[in-house]
Amino acid sequence: MLEVVMKISLVCFSLAMLGLIYRLIKGPTTPDRVVALDAIGINLVAIVGILSMLLKTHEFLDVILLIGILAFIGTISFAKFLEKGEIIENERRH
Amino acid sequence: MKTNDVILQTASKVVFFIIILFSIHLFFTGHYHPGGGFVGGLMTSGAIVLLLLAYDIETVSKGFPIDYKILIAIGLFFAAGTAAGALLFNVPFLTHAFGYFDLPLLGKTSLHTAVLFDTGVYLTVIGVTMTIIQTIGESE
């Protein structure tokens, strides 16, 4: 019973990911695409969590935290590039 | 328009320590669970990259006054020294040994010389990634 529920939710998450991929390809501006990429990362977290429940293992739990951290750093660097034009500054200027 | 990064800087001050703790956990869990020196080193350099994003190269190098090229050398020295230390006991190169010890706070603990080799991998990965990122970031 629970397995059927998990498979249905996997299908729902992949449908949500298809919508996000549509926004990633179609999105008229760059911030649209960045937000779509961030949401795809969070969707991947959910998929890995459900998959590790389906496979009855807890060895993938580190991957969840890893994807979360990487999506955070990636989104921040994209945002900083869009705002300031460079990602890592030499010295602080106001 | 004047911009400030108060939210980014305050958040990354907190998140930095969480990522460092996670990387240390990944490093020490590598013998029995997924993880190890490579992922741990990449996560540690990811935390330093987050500080580089929130602040700038000068501030971060004031906080961590480390020459990352020397860190590569220390890591390679750890790996080669662990491998060559086996020769002192008349066993082949890269032979590892382990034993069970009663540590005062931790109780019965299995200590393995592969951790020293992994420390070398950890330091080398941090050194290489931070050297690459800093060298690309500094060039105008």
Side-chain angles (χ1 to χ4, degrees):
Chain A
M1 179 61 199
L2 195 60
E3 220 162 272
V4 178
V5 173
M6 286 191 283
K7 278 173 184 165
I8 290 172
S9 56
L10 270 184
V11 171
C12 292
F13 275 120
S14 40
L15 287 180
M17 216 167 199
L18 273 182
L20 287 168
I21 288 172
Y22 170 75
R23 180 48 65 198
L24 186 66
I25 297 171
K26 190 80 176 176
T29 61
T30 316
D32 284 332
R33 296 194 165 99
V34 174
V35 171
L37 263 183
D38 194 40
I40 282 177
I42 305 305
N43 243 337
L44 267 180
V45 167
I47 287 177
V48 170
I50 292 174
L51 217 58
S52 68
M53 280 167 75
L54 268 177
L55 297 174
K56 292 185 175 56
T57 173
H58 56 262
E59 305 288 3
F60 292 139
L61 298 187
D62 285 341
V63 178
I64 292 175
L65 198 49
L66 204 70
I67 296 175
I69 291 170
L70 288 183
F72 177 64
I73 294 177
T75 309
I76 283 181
S77 48
F78 264 122
K80 195 164 177 193
F81 178 72
L82 288 178
E83 190 194 345
K84 294 192 176 173
E86 58 179 344
I87 297 176
I88 297 174
E89 299 159 293
N90 271 330
E91 72 257 358
R92 180 137 294 272
R93 51 167 190 267
H94 295 283
Chain B
M1 190 180 78
K2 195 180 172 190
T3 61
N4 65 352
D5 309 333
V6 178
I7 296 177
L8 173 62
Q9 291 179 353
T10 314
S12 62
K13 264 181 213 163
V14 179
V15 171
F16 172 75
F17 289 104
I18 300 173
I19 302 177
I20 286 286
L21 275 180
F22 178 56
S23 75
I24 292 173
H25 165 258
L26 272 180
F27 172 68
F28 279 113
T29 200
H31 199 73
Y32 294 109
H33 294 289
F38 188 74
V39 191
L42 278 183
M43 266 292 100
T44 306
S45 52
I48 303 174
V49 165
L50 181 62
L51 282 191
L52 279 178
L53 288 173
Y55 295 90
D56 50 314
I57 288 182
E58 296 222 346
T59 314
V60 174
S61 63
K62 208 181 290 171
F64 300 101
I66 306 167
D67 189 358
Y68 292 104
K69 293 186 282 301
I70 295 175
L71 212 61
I72 302 175
I74 294 173
L76 290 178
F77 177 76
F78 258 99
T82 315
L87 294 175
L88 295 177
F89 298 97
N90 270 332
V91 284
F93 195 67
L94 270 173
T95 305
H96 288 285
F98 70 98
Y100 292 96
F101 298 95
D102 273 324
L103 296 182
L105 208 60
L106 298 170
K108 187 185 173 195
T109 314
S110 161
L111 296 181
H112 204 297
T113 53
V115 175
L116 294 175
F117 190 81
D118 228 18
T119 309
V121 176
Y122 181 75
L123 295 177
T124 311
V125 168
I126 294 176
V128 168
T129 46
M130 290 316 295
T131 307
I132 291 172
I133 289 170
Q134 276 198 345
T135 318
I136 294 175
E138 270 171 358
S139 64
E140 285 292 317

